């Protein structure tokens, strides 16, 4: 197929993680490319005009994403929404495009458009998972390379859209953040604030997590031939889950929290994510006090429902040897809260490591005196 997207997950991630504005989108719809140096021309009408045909084609066949025009158009649209708050950005340089200079801090992608993109990605990924499952049961191996690439493309876009969604969720609903660049105040705000209603993305996010679980239950070893390929793919899901958990508001939603934990449990139990989870949990305890008790809850579920107590043991062992900076008041408090909650939820696991924990608690007490 002449219009086939030339997608390499490692190349895509390298650019996305460095600066999403540098992700190449040469085959995006021409009407979008014309907006790069004329941000005012990026209207809802233009966006819907290029997005609706892609929605229809993917609803008919998830393979439609592999058309370079469709894939680049979706990537271009996602570049129109920031994936991190301005205070957290550390990009190497400013983009040449006037449009993407603005979208460093202000989303020019309306809520309803991002919602539509999110739905089509989830739907396409779910359909592709069904196809892979059916072919796996039939022992068909002819299309493994194609399915691998398609799963990676959908998972990559899902990670991107979740990041953009979480930035929108973190925005204050008042007048929105100030726009940057010429004409931004007039153009960007009118497109994103005045006519774009409040969007509760929680139900869609829950569906996305359910779809991740569905994909992770596939026989991925038949699709991803090496451990590094599988790890990269699974990381597209787990990275999004950890991002969701950073939101104190999100994690208060029990259903959403349980779905997030389920993704991580399957990844740890069946896809070698234990070390990655260990590193992320210890970092989370240092930076996010609100995750102290939820992380204990996650480890209890992993140990009791998935018969995997090893991760808890490794984390307790690691934390017992952790030394905190004398000026760090958040870390020790968070770890102590984690220990207490875990001892309530999974006392047997904690008792096994009691000697190590006493050492850590003693060091915390002496450090506070």
């Amino acid at each position: 197929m002449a219009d086939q997207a030339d997608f390499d997950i490692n190349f895509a991630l390298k650019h996305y993680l460095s600066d999403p504005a540098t992700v190449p989108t040469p085959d995006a719809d021409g009407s979008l490319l014309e907006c790069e140096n004329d941000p005012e021309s990026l209207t809802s009408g233009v966006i819907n005009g290029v997005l609706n045909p892609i929605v229809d084609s993917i609803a008919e066949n998830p393979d439609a994403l592999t058309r370079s025009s469709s894939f680049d158009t979706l990537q271009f649209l996602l570049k129109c929404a920031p994936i991190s708050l301005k205070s957290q950005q550390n990009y190497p340089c400013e983009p040449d495009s006037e449009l993407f200079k603005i979208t460093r801090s202000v989303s020019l992608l309306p809520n309803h458009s991002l919602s539509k993109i999110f739905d089509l990605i989830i739907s396409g990924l779910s359909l592709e998972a069904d196809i892979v499952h059916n072919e796996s049961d039939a022992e068909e191996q002819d299309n493994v390379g194609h399915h691998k690439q398609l799963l990676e493309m959908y998972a990559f876009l899902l990670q991107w859209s979740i990041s953009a969604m979480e930035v929108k969720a973190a925005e204050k609903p008042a007048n929105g953040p100030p726009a940057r660049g010429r004409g931004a105040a007039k153009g960007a705000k009118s497109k994103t604030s005045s006519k774009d209603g409040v969007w509760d993305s929680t139900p869609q996010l829950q569906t996305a997590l359910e779809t991740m679980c569905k994909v992770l239950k596939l026989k991925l070893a038949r699709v991803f031939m090496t451990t590094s390929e599988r790890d990269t793919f699974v990381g597209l899901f787990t990275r999004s889950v950890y991002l969701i958990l950073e939101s104190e508001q999100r994690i208060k939603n029990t259903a959403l929290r349980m779905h997030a934990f389920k993704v991580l449990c399957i990844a740890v139990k069946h896809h070698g994510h234990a070390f990655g989870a260990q590193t992320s949990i210890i970092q989370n305890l240092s930076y996010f006090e609100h995750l102290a008790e939820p992380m204990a809850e996650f480890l209890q579920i992993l140990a009791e429902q998935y018969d995997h107590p090893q991760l808890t043991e490794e984390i307790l062992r690691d934390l017992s040897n952790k030394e905190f900076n004398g000026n760090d008041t958040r870390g020790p408090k968070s770890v102590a809260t984690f220990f207490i909650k875990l001892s309530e939820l999974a006392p047997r696991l904690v008792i096994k490591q009691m000697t190590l924990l006493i050492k850590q608690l003693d060091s915390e007490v002496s450090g506070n005196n």
Side-chain angles (χ1 to χ4, degrees):
M1 188 188 301
D3 193 27
Q4 187 82 17
D6 182 19
F7 180 76
D8 179 87
I9 184 60
N10 294 309
F11 176 84
L13 275 175
K14 176 184 175 182
H15 283 273
Y16 170 79
L17 295 174
S18 173
D19 180 356
T22 65
V23 173
T25 52
D27 294 326
D29 191 281
S31 60
L32 294 179
L33 296 176
E34 291 173 2
C35 299
E36 285 204 66
N37 290 304
D38 184 17
E40 293 286 331
S41 63
L42 185 69
T43 63
S44 292
V46 169
I47 293 173
N48 288 331
V50 301
L51 187 54
N52 289 339
I54 299 175
V55 173
D56 293 339
S57 63
I58 288 178
E60 186 175 323
N61 186 345
D63 277 13
L65 186 69
T66 61
R67 294 175 191 149
S68 60
S69 56
S70 296
F71 189 67
D72 276 6
T73 292
L74 291 175
Q75 289 190 113
F76 187 101
L77 290 173
L78 287 171
K79 287 197 288 186
C80 294
I83 63 164
S84 60
L85 298 173
K86 186 66 179 175
S87 60
Q88 300 170 342
Q89 294 176 6
N90 185 26
Y91 296 129
C93 60
E94 280 285 287
D96 295 329
S97 162
E98 289 298 317
L99 176 68
F100 298 137
K101 286 178 183 176
I102 295 172
T103 57
R104 281 279 198 251
S105 55
V106 177
S107 177
L108 297 188
L109 186 65
N111 287 345
H112 63 83
S113 298
L114 179 55
S115 175
K116 190 181 293 186
I117 291 172
F118 196 52
D119 280 342
L120 80 87
I121 293 169
I122 297 169
S123 175
L125 180 59
S126 182
L127 287 171
E128 175 61 12
D130 289 335
I131 294 170
V132 172
H133 174 72
N134 293 334
E135 290 193 7
S136 177
D137 284 349
E139 300 293 335
E140 293 183 24
Q141 295 292 312
D142 295 343
N143 297 320
V144 167
H146 173 73
H147 290 312
K148 171 182 175 292
Q149 184 183 61
L150 198 50
L151 286 171
E152 288 174 338
M153 292 171 77
Y154 275 111
F156 175 70
L157 292 182
L158 180 59
Q159 172 188 266
W160 196 337
S161 59
I162 288 176
S163 295
M165 181 186 295
E166 289 307 277
V167 170
K168 279 187 175 286
E171 288 176 351
K172 294 180 180 178
N175 292 325
R180 298 178 65 223
R182 288 178 299 170
K186 183 179 77 172
K189 185 178 170 184
S190 65
K191 291 185 186 106
T192 59
S193 300
S194 61
K195 296 183 180 180
D196 215 18
V198 177
W199 172 35
D200 180 10
S201 56
T202 303
Q204 287 167 291
L205 204 52
Q206 187 169 319
T207 302
L209 293 169
E210 291 171 353
T211 304
M212 289 182 194
C213 292
K214 180 179 181 178
V215 173
L216 290 176
K217 289 178 181 178
L218 296 173
K219 298 172 183 175
L220 294 182
R222 295 185 180 181
V223 179
F224 299 92
M225 299 304 175
T226 68
T227 302
S228 62
E229 288 176 342
R230 184 196 62 179
D231 288 349
T232 299
F233 176 73
V234 173
L236 296 172
F237 291 161
T238 57
R239 193 178 293 114
S240 295
V241 171
Y242 293 125
L243 179 64
I244 292 166
L245 294 178
E246 288 179 12
S247 167
E248 190 169 359
Q249 198 61 38
R250 292 287 197 204
I251 209 166
K252 289 178 181 177
N253 184 304
T254 303
L256 198 64
R257 187 172 74 252
M258 290 300 108
H259 278 83
F261 289 169
K262 188 174 181 181
V263 173
L264 296 180
C265 284
I266 298 172
V268 169
K269 178 70 174 180
H270 299 292
H271 300 297
H273 182 59
F275 182 74
Q278 180 179 340
T279 302
S280 295
I281 289 172
I282 290 173
Q283 287 178 343
N284 285 342
L285 291 176
S286 299
Y287 295 111
F288 303 102
E289 284 186 71
H290 73 272
L291 284 179
E293 293 192 351
M295 288 298 94
E297 185 182 16
F298 160 66
L299 291 174
Q300 177 217 7
I301 292 171
L302 179 64
E304 295 184 1
Q305 297 182 23
Y306 291 82
D307 191 26
H308 198 290
Q310 300 95 312
L311 180 59
T312 305
E313 294 167 0
E314 288 298 325
I315 288 174
L316 291 177
R317 194 173 293 117
D318 209 344
L319 286 174
S320 69
N321 294 316
K322 186 174 178 63
E323 295 184 4
F324 293 97
N325 185 301
N327 297 323
D328 183 4
T329 56
R330 179 186 300 173
K333 179 183 176 183
S334 180
V335 168
T337 303
F338 167 77
F339 283 158
I340 293 169
K341 187 65 177 180
L342 188 62
S343 66
E344 294 173 358
L345 297 173
R348 291 182 184 178
L349 289 174
V350 175
I351 288 172
K352 288 174 66 176
Q353 306 294 329
M354 186 56 73
T355 303
L356 296 173
L357 297 185
I358 289 174
K359 172 187 170 186
Q360 176 60 259
L361 293 172
D362 282 345
S363 67
E364 288 174 20
V365 170
S366 61
N368 290 330
N369 287 338

